[in-house]
Amino acid sequence: MNAIEIKNLTKIYIKKQLIRNKKFLAVDNLSFEVAEGEIFGFLGPNGSGKTTTIKTLLGLLFPTEGECFIFGEKVPSLAALSKIGYLPEIPYLYKYLTAREILSLYGTVSGVSGNILKNRIDEVLETVKLKTGKDTRLGEFSKGMLQRVGVAQAIIHKPQLLILDEPFTGLDPLGLKDMRDVILKLKADGKTIFFSSHIISEAEKICSRVAIIHRGKLLRIVKIKEIKPNTLEDIFISEIKQEENKFAE
């Protein structure tokens, strides 16, 4: 079964102006699938439609046209949402709480409670390599540690699919390695991971496939094992330049 199916997704924003409204095409007839159990990268320059697509998958935006499905459930629906764990690009975490306290909060909101939640907190902190810092306030955490707390809150309710928006942004080399290891561990545990990123080298290291989009259009699906002797960066730059040349004509 596919974890994600996006069919002919189009999203048009209408910006209200003084004289007349202006339309902006954010996603343009986008279609692709993400197989259950794979790590799938979603790559594109700023403004290419990545976050709009993710918000539509989460039911936070309604498509102008097209449909999205999560494990066969049409979005938006509670059945689909219950199978998703989400890490936003800039997670808002209460810095005065400890790692254990913030996970207790998110776990309760997600419907996990009692001893089950207590045990689950220990499990997810072990998964994201933060068990020794569980009683440290988040205000003392590094950027990489906060990103891993963000992943921990996304998996507290045992979702089948993780949607991560720019999980590698702003991380130093050690932080990148830690985040990469966490994602690979989650895949080994049977999760499907779908993430957007600007860090192409990280996508090449851990993904089985990536989608390259620009100006809301799907340019190419790349199978990582088939790209040699090129690199993913070579392919990404080539696809973007070709699309820019078409647009300029």
Side-chain angles (χ1 to χ4, degrees):
M1 176 184 289
N2 288 321
I4 295 173
E5 292 184 29
I6 296 176
K7 299 180 178 181
N8 307 115
L9 178 64
T10 297
K11 179 62 181 179
I12 298 173
Y13 291 109
I14 298 178
K15 297 182 179 180
K16 293 185 178 181
Q17 297 183 334
L18 189 60
I19 299 176
R20 61 181 179 181
N21 294 338
K22 184 177 180 180
K23 293 183 178 181
F24 172 70
L25 181 61
V27 179
D28 185 4
N29 197 33
L30 187 65
S31 296
F32 64 88
E33 299 85 31
V34 177
E36 184 174 1
E38 78 170 320
I39 302 176
F40 190 97
F42 196 42
L43 310 181
N46 287 334
S48 59
K50 300 189 302 297
T51 297
T52 295
T53 302
I54 286 174
K55 287 184 176 179
T56 306
L57 280 172
L58 295 168
L60 300 175
L61 293 174
F62 291 97
T64 305
E65 294 179 10
E67 299 174 309
C68 299
F69 298 86
I70 302 294
F71 292 102
E73 299 282 350
K74 186 175 178 179
V75 178
S77 74
L78 289 176
L81 288 176
S82 68
K83 298 174 182 179
I84 299 173
Y86 171 55
L87 173 66
E89 181 177 359
I90 305 175
Y92 183 81
L93 302 169
Y94 299 105
K95 300 294 182 68
Y96 56 85
L97 295 179
T98 66
R100 179 160 51 182
E101 289 169 342
I102 196 76
L103 292 177
S104 179
L105 171 63
Y106 280 112
T108 301
V109 170
S110 299
V112 187
S113 60
N115 288 331
I116 294 175
L117 177 57
K118 183 179 178 181
N119 293 333
R120 182 62 183 154
I121 288 172
D122 287 337
E123 288 176 8
V124 298
L125 287 172
E126 182 73 35
T127 297
V128 301
K129 303 180 179 182
L130 285 175
K131 198 166 185 179
T132 58
K134 62 184 177 182
D135 293 315
T136 302
R137 296 193 184 280
L138 301 186
E140 300 177 38
F141 279 14
S142 67
K143 166 71 172 175
M145 294 169 75
L146 288 173
Q147 285 289 80
R148 282 182 278 146
V149 172
V151 173
Q153 64 80 27
I155 64 175
I156 193 70
H157 58 296
K158 294 187 177 181
Q160 297 169 255
L161 168 67
L162 291 177
I163 297 179
L164 313 177
D165 195 357
E166 302 287 352
F168 298 106
T169 298
L171 301 184
D172 62 20
L174 290 176
L176 289 173
K177 175 65 165 58
D178 285 338
M179 181 59 71
R180 188 193 319 143
D181 288 346
V182 167
I183 291 175
L184 289 171
K185 173 65 166 61
L186 291 168
K187 181 184 186 301
D189 290 341
K191 307 297 184 187
T192 304
I193 297 98
F194 174 83
F195 71 89
S196 65
S197 182
H198 291 115
I199 315 297
I200 298 173
S201 59
E202 291 301 316
E204 185 171 2
K205 288 173 183 175
I206 63 176
C207 292
S208 56
R209 296 186 301 145
V210 303
I212 299 173
I213 71 165
H214 187 40
R215 300 185 187 276
K217 296 171 63 176
L218 177 65
L219 302 185
R220 183 173 175 182
I221 299 286
V222 180
K223 293 182 179 180
I224 299 302
K225 65 181 181 181
E226 297 177 359
I227 65 175
K228 292 180 180 181
N230 295 318
T231 66
L232 182 57
E233 182 179 59
D234 294 334
I235 294 170
F236 178 86
I237 292 173
S238 174
E239 292 291 337
I240 298 300
K241 284 185 175 180
Q242 288 181 42
E243 185 64 21
E244 284 293 324
N245 290 338
K246 290 178 185 178
F247 189 78
E249 292 175 356

